[in-house]
Amino acid sequence: MPSTAHGTAARTRLTLAGALASLLVAAGVAGGPAARAHEGPAHAKPRTTLADLAQRHGRYFGSATDNPELTDTAYTKTLGDEFDMITPGNGMKWYATEPRQGVFDFTAGDEIVGLARAHHQKIRAHTLVWHSQLPDWLTARTWTADELRAVLKNHIQTEVRHYRGKVYSWDVVNEAFNEDGTYRETVFYKTLGPGYIADALRWAHEADPRAKLYLNDYNIEAVGPKSDAYYALAKELKARHVPLDGIGLQAHLALQYGYPTTLEDNLRRFSRLGLDTALTEVDVRMLLPATEEKLAQQADWYRDLTDACLDVRRCVGITVWDYTDKYSWIPAFFPGEGAALPWDEQLAPKPAYFAIRDALR
Ligand code: XIL
């Protein structure tokens, strides 16, 4: 069948590209994770990791991870070696941490914090206030403002206290705005009004005064109505001395929608407000099948976004939303799309991985 023949040809090209990359790695030309197996004698100098390279610029390079995949030892090896910042992809969300009202369960988050500490990695904790992945007990009923304020404060302070001293930062409020820059009509906004954001930041700060506190969202990489809303809010919060340290730009990018060319300008304007910025959930998805051309374009985007962060002093680091296509959330959430991360499903580094290294060197 022609479609099968075409698919086979595409796969063959990809396999050839993969094989070439593996050869370069084996030859020590680029020193990807696969190089380790070929390093041989104990005196061999360990290759530099993305974290090492980022640290030379005073930045971190992180990955999200999730509890189910921690049994995959080949996966956890690279997770432990290559990165110096870890974000639990789900384990610290409300549904996971307070499954029944007032009953807290930190086992998922603790497992990831424990693994990160064993590898001397820091934690970007994610997330305290979000309209998604809430427990049923919270969404199934209506709340008065007083009730919900108490519920929110207790959730934030119990969780932040539990992780006090163990995390670098918190995504305190996630995805608070619509695309047009109006407030998203979440249960928190509708019940408490826009002041819930300042309250959440203050409560989190009380519970862990050292953690860096962030607002985090997607589609705010470019200058536009949604990032303008964050700019205006951040400016106002700073003026009122609300404890806000940074803005997290998720950077879930897609080749078919174009690169956010104003990313660097955007990062810079938040810096000028005295805020840190970070690229917090980076992936660059594409319509499948992946082709050599798309993977090359993806590599360019990873290089460009890394350059943009390095060029802005207060852009403190980059986190990919897991590092391998094997565990990416994209195929499940965007049917027909994928191949979004710097390592492929076999845990082999893709052109994007080498492009990130280039940018960091
Ligand atoms: C995603 C996780 O990766 C998935 O495993 C989960 O099923 C849904 O959430 N923006 C965010 C993240 O802030 O929390 C989301 O993570 C991806 C989009």
Side-chain angles (χ1 to χ4, degrees):
M1 267 190 333
S3 61
T4 311
H6 179 80
T8 307
R11 267 195 301 281
T12 307
R13 276 200 304 278
L14 285 177
T15 312
L16 283 173
L20 179 60
S22 308
L23 279 174
L24 290 173
V25 169
V29 173
R36 241 157 229 267
H38 304 275
E39 266 167 13
H43 64 261
K45 191 163 165 279
R47 65 184 183 79
T48 55
T49 63
L50 294 184
D52 295 330
L53 295 172
Q55 281 170 19
R56 292 179 193 168
H57 301 273
R59 309 303 206 280
Y60 62 78
F61 208 96
S63 175
T65 190
D66 206 358
N67 300 77
E69 61 221 49
L70 299 180
T71 53
D72 179 342
T73 52
Y75 167 81
T76 53
K77 174 94 179 88
T78 297
L79 185 74
D81 286 351
E82 196 76 34
F83 305 98
D84 55 355
M85 186 71 78
I86 296 292
T87 303
N90 288 298
M92 293 182 174
K93 290 173 179 174
W94 202 322
Y95 82 97
T97 52
E98 195 182 357
R100 289 186 291 140
Q101 188 179 356
V103 179
F104 287 83
D105 179 355
F106 295 115
T107 44
D110 287 354
E111 184 186 12
I112 290 171
V113 170
L115 191 72
R117 283 163 79 91
H119 291 96
H120 311 289
Q121 296 163 315
K122 291 191 281 189
I123 296 276
R124 276 199 98 258
H126 173 84
T127 178
L128 297 168
V129 190
W130 189 28
H131 64 278
S132 187
Q133 292 181 281
L134 289 169
D136 291 340
W137 62 263
L138 198 159
T139 52
R141 53 161 284 189
T142 56
W143 303 87
T144 67
D146 283 348
E147 285 169 345
L148 190 61
R149 186 173 291 107
V151 160
L152 187 61
K153 181 175 183 187
N154 188 51
H155 178 74
I156 290 173
Q157 296 208 313
T158 306
E159 182 160 7
V160 174
R161 250 185 254 122
H162 177 82
Y163 288 112
R164 181 183 177 130
K166 294 183 176 163
V167 305
Y168 164 76
S169 66
W170 269 107
D171 288 334
V172 177
V173 182
N174 198 33
E175 303 181 352
F177 285 106
N178 294 314
E179 295 305 297
D180 66 359
T182 56
Y183 281 98
R184 190 191 282 269
E185 303 250 328
T186 68
V187 62
F188 308 108
Y189 179 79
K190 285 193 291 191
T191 314
L192 303 172
Y196 83 91
I197 295 177
D199 285 341
L201 289 162
R202 290 197 187 97
W203 292 329
H205 183 68
E206 251 174 55
D208 184 352
R210 291 214 170 135
K212 303 264 187 208
L213 304 184
Y214 278 71
L215 304 178
N216 191 55
D217 213 325
Y218 62 94
N219 280 352
I220 58 166
E221 295 73 37
V223 174
K226 197 174 183 182
S227 62
D228 289 352
Y230 276 97
Y231 184 76
L233 175 62
K235 197 170 179 178
E236 184 201 319
L237 292 173
K238 292 297 277 182
R240 287 163 51 205
H241 303 289
V242 175
L244 172 68
D245 297 290
I247 302 293
L249 294 75
Q250 292 182 8
H252 292 294
L253 306 181
L255 290 185
Q256 67 273 22
Y257 300 138
Y259 183 79
T261 52
T262 50
L263 172 60
E264 197 180 309
D265 291 338
N266 194 33
L267 292 170
R268 204 160 266 132
R269 69 173 169 163
F270 287 107
S271 292
R272 280 197 297 263
L273 287 183
L275 289 167
D276 289 348
T277 53
L279 305 180
T280 56
E281 305 185 12
V282 178
D283 45 30
V284 180
R285 65 187 187 267
M286 60 186 71
L287 298 168
L288 297 174
T291 61
E292 251 179 88
E293 290 73 20
K294 288 184 211 171
L295 292 172
Q297 192 188 4
Q298 177 187 57
D300 287 342
W301 287 29
Y302 271 100
R303 179 187 294 108
D304 289 348
L305 66 87
T306 304
D307 280 338
C309 183
L310 293 180
D311 282 345
V312 178
R313 196 176 51 85
R314 293 199 66 167
C315 181
V316 295
I318 300 173
T319 297
V320 288
W321 203 242
D322 224 319
Y323 72 86
T324 159
D325 293 334
K326 187 174 183 182
Y327 298 120
S328 172
W329 71 304
I330 294 295
F333 280 78
F334 300 92
E337 300 179 44
L341 293 166
W343 278 259
D344 71 14
E345 289 184 28
Q346 282 70 48
L347 307 183
K350 293 158 63 177
Y353 167 81
F354 299 103
I356 297 167
R357 291 188 71 93
D358 278 350
L360 292 172
R361 257 195 302 248

